[in-house]
mmCIF file of all heavy atoms in Angstrom:
data_model
loop_
_atom_site.group_PDB
_atom_site.id
_atom_site.type_symbol
_atom_site.label_atom_id
_atom_site.label_comp_id
_atom_site.label_asym_id
_atom_site.label_seq_id
_atom_site.Cartn_x
_atom_site.Cartn_y
_atom_site.Cartn_z
ATOM 1 N N VAL A 30 6.610 60.151 -166.991
ATOM 2 C CA VAL A 30 8.037 60.250 -167.268
ATOM 3 C C VAL A 30 8.725 60.963 -166.095
ATOM 4 O O VAL A 30 8.061 61.547 -165.242
ATOM 5 C CB VAL A 30 8.323 61.029 -168.581
ATOM 6 C CG1 VAL A 30 7.747 60.318 -169.773
ATOM 7 C CG2 VAL A 30 7.783 62.463 -168.500
ATOM 8 N N THR A 31 10.037 60.930 -166.081
ATOM 9 C CA THR A 31 10.777 61.656 -165.051
ATOM 10 C C THR A 31 10.639 63.160 -165.312
ATOM 11 O O THR A 31 10.442 63.568 -166.466
ATOM 12 C CB THR A 31 12.276 61.296 -165.076
ATOM 13 O OG1 THR A 31 12.830 61.670 -166.322
ATOM 14 C CG2 THR A 31 12.497 59.813 -164.809
ATOM 15 N N PRO A 32 10.753 63.968 -164.281
ATOM 16 C CA PRO A 32 10.692 65.417 -164.481
ATOM 17 C C PRO A 32 11.753 65.924 -165.481
ATOM 18 O O PRO A 32 11.502 66.836 -166.245
ATOM 19 C CB PRO A 32 10.935 65.991 -163.092
ATOM 20 C CG PRO A 32 10.420 64.924 -162.184
ATOM 21 C CD PRO A 32 10.781 63.648 -162.849
ATOM 22 N N ALA A 33 12.918 65.309 -165.471
ATOM 23 C CA ALA A 33 13.977 65.732 -166.392
ATOM 24 C C ALA A 33 13.557 65.533 -167.838
ATOM 25 O O ALA A 33 13.794 66.425 -168.694
ATOM 26 C CB ALA A 33 15.271 64.948 -166.111
ATOM 27 N N LEU A 34 12.931 64.431 -168.153
ATOM 28 C CA LEU A 34 12.482 64.182 -169.515
ATOM 29 C C LEU A 34 11.338 65.138 -169.867
ATOM 30 O O LEU A 34 11.299 65.695 -170.949
ATOM 31 C CB LEU A 34 12.020 62.726 -169.700
ATOM 32 C CG LEU A 34 11.463 62.346 -171.061
ATOM 33 C CD1 LEU A 34 12.444 62.662 -172.173
ATOM 34 C CD2 LEU A 34 11.073 60.877 -171.099
ATOM 35 N N ALA A 35 10.412 65.320 -168.930
ATOM 36 C CA ALA A 35 9.299 66.228 -169.187
ATOM 37 C C ALA A 35 9.761 67.650 -169.492
ATOM 38 O O ALA A 35 9.237 68.319 -170.392
ATOM 39 C CB ALA A 35 8.336 66.219 -167.999
ATOM 40 N N LEU A 36 10.777 68.108 -168.774
ATOM 41 C CA LEU A 36 11.274 69.467 -168.973
ATOM 42 C C LEU A 36 12.105 69.618 -170.257
ATOM 43 O O LEU A 36 12.256 70.721 -170.767
ATOM 44 C CB LEU A 36 12.117 69.902 -167.771
ATOM 45 C CG LEU A 36 11.341 70.131 -166.482
ATOM 46 C CD1 LEU A 36 12.299 70.363 -165.321
ATOM 47 C CD2 LEU A 36 10.375 71.301 -166.635
ATOM 48 N N SER A 37 12.640 68.499 -170.753
ATOM 49 C CA SER A 37 13.493 68.571 -171.946
ATOM 50 C C SER A 37 12.686 68.552 -173.240
ATOM 51 O O SER A 37 13.223 68.827 -174.306
ATOM 52 C CB SER A 37 14.498 67.414 -171.936
ATOM 53 O OG SER A 37 13.832 66.192 -172.211
ATOM 54 N N VAL A 38 11.396 68.261 -173.161
ATOM 55 C CA VAL A 38 10.577 68.129 -174.360
ATOM 56 C C VAL A 38 9.688 69.368 -174.535
ATOM 57 O O VAL A 38 9.099 69.850 -173.575
ATOM 58 C CB VAL A 38 9.677 66.863 -174.255
ATOM 59 C CG1 VAL A 38 8.773 66.745 -175.463
ATOM 60 C CG2 VAL A 38 10.521 65.630 -174.106
ATOM 61 N N ARG A 39 9.626 69.842 -175.749
ATOM 62 C CA ARG A 39 8.788 70.992 -176.085
ATOM 63 C C ARG A 39 7.539 70.516 -176.816
ATOM 64 O O ARG A 39 7.612 69.549 -177.595
ATOM 65 C CB ARG A 39 9.525 71.985 -176.953
ATOM 66 C CG ARG A 39 10.770 72.559 -176.294
ATOM 67 C CD ARG A 39 10.378 73.509 -175.184
ATOM 68 N NE ARG A 39 11.536 73.866 -174.382
ATOM 69 C CZ ARG A 39 11.636 73.643 -173.084
ATOM 70 N NH1 ARG A 39 10.676 73.071 -172.432
ATOM 71 N NH2 ARG A 39 12.710 74.009 -172.415
ATOM 72 N N PRO A 40 6.396 71.131 -176.562
ATOM 73 C CA PRO A 40 5.170 70.719 -177.276
ATOM 74 C C PRO A 40 5.369 70.753 -178.793
ATOM 75 O O PRO A 40 5.971 71.674 -179.332
ATOM 76 C CB PRO A 40 4.153 71.792 -176.853
ATOM 77 C CG PRO A 40 4.635 72.276 -175.531
ATOM 78 C CD PRO A 40 6.159 72.225 -175.620
ATOM 79 N N GLY A 41 4.926 69.716 -179.443
ATOM 80 C CA GLY A 41 5.047 69.601 -180.883
ATOM 81 C C GLY A 41 6.343 68.975 -181.374
ATOM 82 O O GLY A 41 6.455 68.665 -182.549
ATOM 83 N N SER A 42 7.284 68.758 -180.480
ATOM 84 C CA SER A 42 8.567 68.167 -180.897
ATOM 85 C C SER A 42 8.412 66.642 -180.991
ATOM 86 O O SER A 42 7.539 66.054 -180.381
ATOM 87 C CB SER A 42 9.668 68.530 -179.914
ATOM 88 O OG SER A 42 9.408 67.981 -178.636
ATOM 89 N N GLU A 43 9.278 66.053 -181.800
ATOM 90 C CA GLU A 43 9.270 64.603 -181.935
ATOM 91 C C GLU A 43 10.371 64.012 -181.093
ATOM 92 O O GLU A 43 11.493 64.498 -181.088
ATOM 93 C CB GLU A 43 9.495 64.205 -183.400
ATOM 94 C CG GLU A 43 8.324 64.518 -184.293
ATOM 95 C CD GLU A 43 8.468 63.897 -185.698
ATOM 96 O OE1 GLU A 43 9.233 62.910 -185.857
ATOM 97 O OE2 GLU A 43 7.841 64.457 -186.599
ATOM 98 N N ILE A 44 10.008 62.939 -180.352
ATOM 99 C CA ILE A 44 10.986 62.251 -179.490
ATOM 100 C C ILE A 44 10.788 60.758 -179.586
ATOM 101 O O ILE A 44 9.733 60.281 -179.991
ATOM 102 C CB ILE A 44 10.888 62.703 -178.021
ATOM 103 C CG1 ILE A 44 9.524 62.337 -177.438
ATOM 104 C CG2 ILE A 44 11.174 64.166 -177.866
ATOM 105 C CD1 ILE A 44 9.428 62.459 -175.931
ATOM 106 N N LEU A 45 11.811 60.041 -179.222
ATOM 107 C CA LEU A 45 11.744 58.584 -179.100
ATOM 108 C C LEU A 45 11.670 58.266 -177.618
ATOM 109 O O LEU A 45 12.544 58.710 -176.842
ATOM 110 C CB LEU A 45 12.957 57.906 -179.721
ATOM 111 C CG LEU A 45 13.065 56.401 -179.521
ATOM 112 C CD1 LEU A 45 11.939 55.687 -180.232
ATOM 113 C CD2 LEU A 45 14.412 55.893 -180.008
ATOM 114 N N VAL A 46 10.634 57.551 -177.220
ATOM 115 C CA VAL A 46 10.440 57.193 -175.812
ATOM 116 C C VAL A 46 10.372 55.674 -175.698
ATOM 117 O O VAL A 46 9.604 55.037 -176.432
ATOM 118 C CB VAL A 46 9.153 57.830 -175.243
ATOM 119 C CG1 VAL A 46 8.963 57.476 -173.781
ATOM 120 C CG2 VAL A 46 9.172 59.331 -175.418
ATOM 121 N N HIS A 47 11.171 55.119 -174.819
ATOM 122 C CA HIS A 47 11.143 53.677 -174.529
ATOM 123 C C HIS A 47 10.100 53.501 -173.415
ATOM 124 O O HIS A 47 10.172 54.166 -172.403
ATOM 125 C CB HIS A 47 12.511 53.184 -174.089
ATOM 126 C CG HIS A 47 13.571 53.495 -175.092
ATOM 127 N ND1 HIS A 47 13.838 52.700 -176.164
ATOM 128 C CD2 HIS A 47 14.406 54.556 -175.215
ATOM 129 C CE1 HIS A 47 14.810 53.212 -176.892
ATOM 130 N NE2 HIS A 47 15.160 54.354 -176.339
ATOM 131 N N THR A 48 9.134 52.603 -173.638
ATOM 132 C CA THR A 48 8.002 52.539 -172.716
ATOM 133 C C THR A 48 7.846 51.186 -172.036
ATOM 134 O O THR A 48 8.275 50.161 -172.556
ATOM 135 C CB THR A 48 6.690 52.846 -173.432
ATOM 136 O OG1 THR A 48 6.470 51.899 -174.460
ATOM 137 C CG2 THR A 48 6.675 54.260 -174.009
ATOM 138 N N ALA A 49 7.209 51.249 -170.878
ATOM 139 C CA ALA A 49 6.793 50.064 -170.129
ATOM 140 C C ALA A 49 5.286 50.244 -169.885
ATOM 141 O O ALA A 49 4.854 51.306 -169.448
ATOM 142 C CB ALA A 49 7.530 49.949 -168.828
ATOM 143 N N PHE A 50 4.507 49.223 -170.178
ATOM 144 C CA PHE A 50 3.073 49.268 -169.984
ATOM 145 C C PHE A 50 2.772 48.427 -168.746
ATOM 146 O O PHE A 50 3.008 47.216 -168.717
ATOM 147 C CB PHE A 50 2.367 48.669 -171.209
ATOM 148 C CG PHE A 50 0.877 48.728 -171.164
ATOM 149 C CD1 PHE A 50 0.230 49.970 -171.068
ATOM 150 C CD2 PHE A 50 0.135 47.581 -171.256
ATOM 151 C CE1 PHE A 50 -1.158 49.998 -171.037
ATOM 152 C CE2 PHE A 50 -1.264 47.616 -171.231
ATOM 153 C CZ PHE A 50 -1.898 48.849 -171.134
ATOM 154 N N VAL A 51 2.286 49.094 -167.693
ATOM 155 C CA VAL A 51 2.060 48.421 -166.421
ATOM 156 C C VAL A 51 0.561 48.255 -166.207
ATOM 157 O O VAL A 51 -0.203 49.235 -166.221
ATOM 158 C CB VAL A 51 2.664 49.232 -165.249
ATOM 159 C CG1 VAL A 51 2.377 48.569 -163.920
ATOM 160 C CG2 VAL A 51 4.185 49.393 -165.457
ATOM 161 N N VAL A 52 0.139 47.018 -166.035
ATOM 162 C CA VAL A 52 -1.270 46.698 -165.843
ATOM 163 C C VAL A 52 -1.463 46.348 -164.356
ATOM 164 O O VAL A 52 -0.799 45.460 -163.812
ATOM 165 C CB VAL A 52 -1.708 45.503 -166.697
ATOM 166 C CG1 VAL A 52 -3.163 45.154 -166.445
ATOM 167 C CG2 VAL A 52 -1.475 45.806 -168.170
ATOM 168 N N ARG A 53 -2.387 47.070 -163.729
ATOM 169 C CA ARG A 53 -2.755 46.794 -162.339
ATOM 170 C C ARG A 53 -4.266 46.655 -162.270
ATOM 171 O O ARG A 53 -4.949 46.965 -163.246
ATOM 172 C CB ARG A 53 -2.281 47.934 -161.435
ATOM 173 C CG ARG A 53 -0.760 48.108 -161.487
ATOM 174 C CD ARG A 53 -0.325 49.213 -160.621
ATOM 175 N NE ARG A 53 -0.033 48.643 -159.296
ATOM 176 C CZ ARG A 53 0.548 49.264 -158.341
ATOM 177 N NH1 ARG A 53 0.920 50.518 -158.496
ATOM 178 N NH2 ARG A 53 0.807 48.682 -157.200
ATOM 179 N N GLU A 54 -4.773 46.227 -161.121
ATOM 180 C CA GLU A 54 -6.215 46.067 -160.967
ATOM 181 C C GLU A 54 -6.959 47.346 -161.294
ATOM 182 O O GLU A 54 -8.020 47.308 -161.925
ATOM 183 C CB GLU A 54 -6.531 45.683 -159.509
ATOM 184 C CG GLU A 54 -6.251 44.270 -159.169
ATOM 185 C CD GLU A 54 -6.616 43.983 -157.711
ATOM 186 O OE1 GLU A 54 -7.420 44.729 -157.131
ATOM 187 O OE2 GLU A 54 -6.106 42.985 -157.188
ATOM 188 N N ASP A 55 -6.435 48.470 -160.854
ATOM 189 C CA ASP A 55 -7.165 49.715 -160.941
ATOM 190 C C ASP A 55 -6.718 50.649 -162.069
ATOM 191 O O ASP A 55 -7.329 51.692 -162.290
ATOM 192 C CB ASP A 55 -7.075 50.470 -159.626
ATOM 193 C CG ASP A 55 -5.628 50.732 -159.202
ATOM 194 O OD1 ASP A 55 -4.717 50.060 -159.732
ATOM 195 O OD2 ASP A 55 -5.420 51.585 -158.327
ATOM 196 N N ALA A 56 -5.676 50.288 -162.828
ATOM 197 C CA ALA A 56 -5.197 51.187 -163.871
ATOM 198 C C ALA A 56 -4.270 50.511 -164.852
ATOM 199 O O ALA A 56 -3.590 49.543 -164.533
ATOM 200 C CB ALA A 56 -4.450 52.357 -163.231
ATOM 201 N N PHE A 57 -4.266 51.044 -166.074
ATOM 202 C CA PHE A 57 -3.290 50.720 -167.096
ATOM 203 C C PHE A 57 -2.433 51.974 -167.233
ATOM 204 O O PHE A 57 -2.953 53.042 -167.547
ATOM 205 C CB PHE A 57 -3.942 50.405 -168.439
ATOM 206 C CG PHE A 57 -4.850 49.238 -168.440
ATOM 207 C CD1 PHE A 57 -6.075 49.265 -169.094
ATOM 208 C CD2 PHE A 57 -4.510 48.058 -167.799
ATOM 209 C CE1 PHE A 57 -6.914 48.178 -169.102
ATOM 210 C CE2 PHE A 57 -5.345 46.958 -167.796
ATOM 211 C CZ PHE A 57 -6.561 47.020 -168.466
ATOM 212 N N THR A 58 -1.126 51.852 -167.007
ATOM 213 C CA THR A 58 -0.261 53.033 -167.010
ATOM 214 C C THR A 58 0.943 52.798 -167.916
ATOM 215 O O THR A 58 1.518 51.722 -167.920
ATOM 216 C CB THR A 58 0.230 53.337 -165.561
ATOM 217 O OG1 THR A 58 -0.884 53.338 -164.690
ATOM 218 C CG2 THR A 58 0.892 54.694 -165.513
ATOM 219 N N ILE A 59 1.298 53.849 -168.645
ATOM 220 C CA ILE A 59 2.490 53.796 -169.508
ATOM 221 C C ILE A 59 3.567 54.673 -168.860
ATOM 222 O O ILE A 59 3.318 55.805 -168.482
ATOM 223 C CB ILE A 59 2.172 54.312 -170.914
ATOM 224 C CG1 ILE A 59 1.046 53.495 -171.552
ATOM 225 C CG2 ILE A 59 3.438 54.250 -171.797
ATOM 226 C CD1 ILE A 59 0.552 54.063 -172.870
ATOM 227 N N PHE A 60 4.760 54.105 -168.750
ATOM 228 C CA PHE A 60 5.903 54.834 -168.222
ATOM 229 C C PHE A 60 6.916 55.003 -169.355
ATOM 230 O O PHE A 60 7.187 54.020 -170.096
ATOM 231 C CB PHE A 60 6.556 54.093 -167.034
ATOM 232 C CG PHE A 60 5.661 54.065 -165.833
ATOM 233 C CD1 PHE A 60 4.676 53.086 -165.683
ATOM 234 C CD2 PHE A 60 5.751 55.046 -164.856
ATOM 235 C CE1 PHE A 60 3.844 53.066 -164.587
ATOM 236 C CE2 PHE A 60 4.915 55.022 -163.763
ATOM 237 C CZ PHE A 60 3.951 54.049 -163.621
ATOM 238 N N GLY A 61 7.443 56.181 -169.553
ATOM 239 C CA GLY A 61 8.358 56.467 -170.662
ATOM 240 C C GLY A 61 9.741 56.853 -170.180
ATOM 241 O O GLY A 61 9.898 57.509 -169.138
ATOM 242 N N PHE A 62 10.753 56.451 -170.971
ATOM 243 C CA PHE A 62 12.143 56.682 -170.600
ATOM 244 C C PHE A 62 12.950 57.131 -171.823
ATOM 245 O O PHE A 62 12.671 56.742 -172.933
ATOM 246 C CB PHE A 62 12.749 55.399 -170.025
ATOM 247 C CG PHE A 62 11.961 54.874 -168.848
ATOM 248 C CD1 PHE A 62 10.989 53.924 -169.036
ATOM 249 C CD2 PHE A 62 12.158 55.386 -167.600
ATOM 250 C CE1 PHE A 62 10.226 53.466 -167.982
ATOM 251 C CE2 PHE A 62 11.408 54.942 -166.531
ATOM 252 C CZ PHE A 62 10.432 53.985 -166.709
ATOM 253 N N GLU A 63 14.010 57.912 -171.529
ATOM 254 C CA GLU A 63 14.859 58.417 -172.584
ATOM 255 C C GLU A 63 15.742 57.321 -173.200
ATOM 256 O O GLU A 63 16.114 57.391 -174.361
ATOM 257 C CB GLU A 63 15.797 59.500 -172.041
ATOM 258 C CG GLU A 63 15.098 60.795 -171.729
ATOM 259 C CD GLU A 63 16.070 61.861 -171.287
ATOM 260 O OE1 GLU A 63 16.691 62.490 -172.167
ATOM 261 O OE2 GLU A 63 16.226 62.030 -170.059
ATOM 262 N N SER A 64 16.123 56.329 -172.390
ATOM 263 C CA SER A 64 17.070 55.312 -172.862
ATOM 264 C C SER A 64 16.611 53.926 -172.475
ATOM 265 O O SER A 64 15.809 53.724 -171.579
ATOM 266 C CB SER A 64 18.460 55.579 -172.265
ATOM 267 O OG SER A 64 18.450 55.312 -170.877
ATOM 268 N N THR A 65 17.205 52.948 -173.177
ATOM 269 C CA THR A 65 16.904 51.553 -172.847
ATOM 270 C C THR A 65 17.520 51.193 -171.474
ATOM 271 O O THR A 65 16.966 50.354 -170.773
ATOM 272 C CB THR A 65 17.433 50.587 -173.904
ATOM 273 O OG1 THR A 65 18.825 50.808 -174.116
ATOM 274 C CG2 THR A 65 16.684 50.765 -175.203
ATOM 275 N N ASP A 66 18.617 51.869 -171.092
ATOM 276 C CA ASP A 66 19.193 51.637 -169.754
ATOM 277 C C ASP A 66 18.207 52.016 -168.663
ATOM 278 O O ASP A 66 18.026 51.296 -167.679
ATOM 279 C CB ASP A 66 20.465 52.447 -169.547
ATOM 280 C CG ASP A 66 21.686 51.763 -170.148
ATOM 281 O OD1 ASP A 66 21.576 50.606 -170.570
ATOM 282 O OD2 ASP A 66 22.749 52.409 -170.211
ATOM 283 N N GLU A 67 17.520 53.152 -168.833
ATOM 284 C CA GLU A 67 16.524 53.555 -167.852
ATOM 285 C C GLU A 67 15.343 52.559 -167.835
ATOM 286 O O GLU A 67 14.857 52.221 -166.749
ATOM 287 C CB GLU A 67 15.979 54.958 -168.168
ATOM 288 C CG GLU A 67 16.940 56.073 -167.846
ATOM 289 C CD GLU A 67 16.323 57.441 -168.079
ATOM 290 O OE1 GLU A 67 15.240 57.566 -168.675
ATOM 291 O OE2 GLU A 67 16.958 58.425 -167.650
ATOM 292 N N LEU A 68 14.930 52.085 -168.992
ATOM 293 C CA LEU A 68 13.829 51.128 -169.061
ATOM 294 C C LEU A 68 14.214 49.816 -168.379
ATOM 295 O O LEU A 68 13.445 49.256 -167.568
ATOM 296 C CB LEU A 68 13.414 50.872 -170.511
ATOM 297 C CG LEU A 68 12.310 49.838 -170.756
ATOM 298 C CD1 LEU A 68 11.031 50.199 -170.012
ATOM 299 C CD2 LEU A 68 12.073 49.673 -172.243
ATOM 300 N N ARG A 69 15.406 49.309 -168.645
ATOM 301 C CA ARG A 69 15.865 48.059 -168.011
ATOM 302 C C ARG A 69 15.976 48.236 -166.504
ATOM 303 O O ARG A 69 15.611 47.357 -165.722
ATOM 304 C CB ARG A 69 17.205 47.625 -168.595
ATOM 305 C CG ARG A 69 17.078 46.906 -169.933
ATOM 306 C CD ARG A 69 18.397 46.271 -170.327
ATOM 307 N NE ARG A 69 19.402 47.255 -170.615
ATOM 308 C CZ ARG A 69 19.760 47.652 -171.822
ATOM 309 N NH1 ARG A 69 19.181 47.127 -172.874
ATOM 310 N NH2 ARG A 69 20.692 48.544 -171.995
ATOM 311 N N THR A 70 16.492 49.406 -166.096
ATOM 312 C CA THR A 70 16.604 49.704 -164.663
ATOM 313 C C THR A 70 15.234 49.726 -164.036
ATOM 314 O O THR A 70 15.028 49.171 -162.938
ATOM 315 C CB THR A 70 17.335 51.038 -164.449
ATOM 316 O OG1 THR A 70 18.613 50.985 -165.068
ATOM 317 C CG2 THR A 70 17.487 51.357 -162.979
ATOM 318 N N PHE A 71 14.280 50.335 -164.678
ATOM 319 C CA PHE A 71 12.880 50.387 -164.198
ATOM 320 C C PHE A 71 12.341 48.988 -163.993
ATOM 321 O O PHE A 71 11.764 48.677 -162.937
ATOM 322 C CB PHE A 71 12.026 51.167 -165.229
ATOM 323 C CG PHE A 71 10.580 51.243 -164.895
ATOM 324 C CD1 PHE A 71 10.114 52.143 -163.945
ATOM 325 C CD2 PHE A 71 9.651 50.466 -165.585
ATOM 326 C CE1 PHE A 71 8.746 52.241 -163.662
ATOM 327 C CE2 PHE A 71 8.305 50.557 -165.315
ATOM 328 C CZ PHE A 71 7.842 51.435 -164.339
ATOM 329 N N ASP A 72 12.526 48.104 -164.965
ATOM 330 C CA ASP A 72 12.033 46.730 -164.853
ATOM 331 C C ASP A 72 12.711 45.988 -163.713
ATOM 332 O O ASP A 72 12.059 45.249 -162.979
ATOM 333 C CB ASP A 72 12.213 45.984 -166.173
ATOM 334 C CG ASP A 72 11.265 46.459 -167.263
ATOM 335 O OD1 ASP A 72 10.197 46.993 -166.914
ATOM 336 O OD2 ASP A 72 11.601 46.294 -168.468
ATOM 337 N N LEU A 73 14.025 46.177 -163.551
ATOM 338 C CA LEU A 73 14.715 45.493 -162.450
ATOM 339 C C LEU A 73 14.257 46.039 -161.108
ATOM 340 O O LEU A 73 14.055 45.250 -160.163
ATOM 341 C CB LEU A 73 16.245 45.699 -162.595
ATOM 342 C CG LEU A 73 16.902 44.840 -163.669
ATOM 343 C CD1 LEU A 73 18.347 45.282 -163.868
ATOM 344 C CD2 LEU A 73 16.855 43.373 -163.315
ATOM 345 N N LEU A 74 14.061 47.325 -160.983
ATOM 346 C CA LEU A 74 13.593 47.905 -159.724
ATOM 347 C C LEU A 74 12.203 47.373 -159.357
ATOM 348 O O LEU A 74 11.938 47.060 -158.200
ATOM 349 C CB LEU A 74 13.552 49.445 -159.813
ATOM 350 C CG LEU A 74 14.886 50.155 -159.799
ATOM 351 C CD1 LEU A 74 14.743 51.615 -160.195
ATOM 352 C CD2 LEU A 74 15.551 50.038 -158.417
ATOM 353 N N ARG A 75 11.337 47.240 -160.339
ATOM 354 C CA ARG A 75 9.976 46.731 -160.063
ATOM 355 C C ARG A 75 9.982 45.272 -159.668
ATOM 356 O O ARG A 75 9.013 44.796 -159.083
ATOM 357 C CB ARG A 75 9.076 46.914 -161.288
ATOM 358 C CG ARG A 75 8.686 48.349 -161.490
ATOM 359 C CD ARG A 75 7.642 48.544 -162.591
ATOM 360 N NE ARG A 75 7.842 47.674 -163.723
ATOM 361 C CZ ARG A 75 6.914 46.847 -164.208
ATOM 362 N NH1 ARG A 75 5.741 46.752 -163.655
ATOM 363 N NH2 ARG A 75 7.153 46.108 -165.244
#
């Protein structure tokens, strides 16, 4: 996640995260975002 999202979340708190699952040869990685705008932007940038 972005540092801003990581800093805004406290351990044990409940949040809604919009995710993208990226599959590469060497790794399966999940990227999380606060909003659908950030997720759509992420997909367009990639």
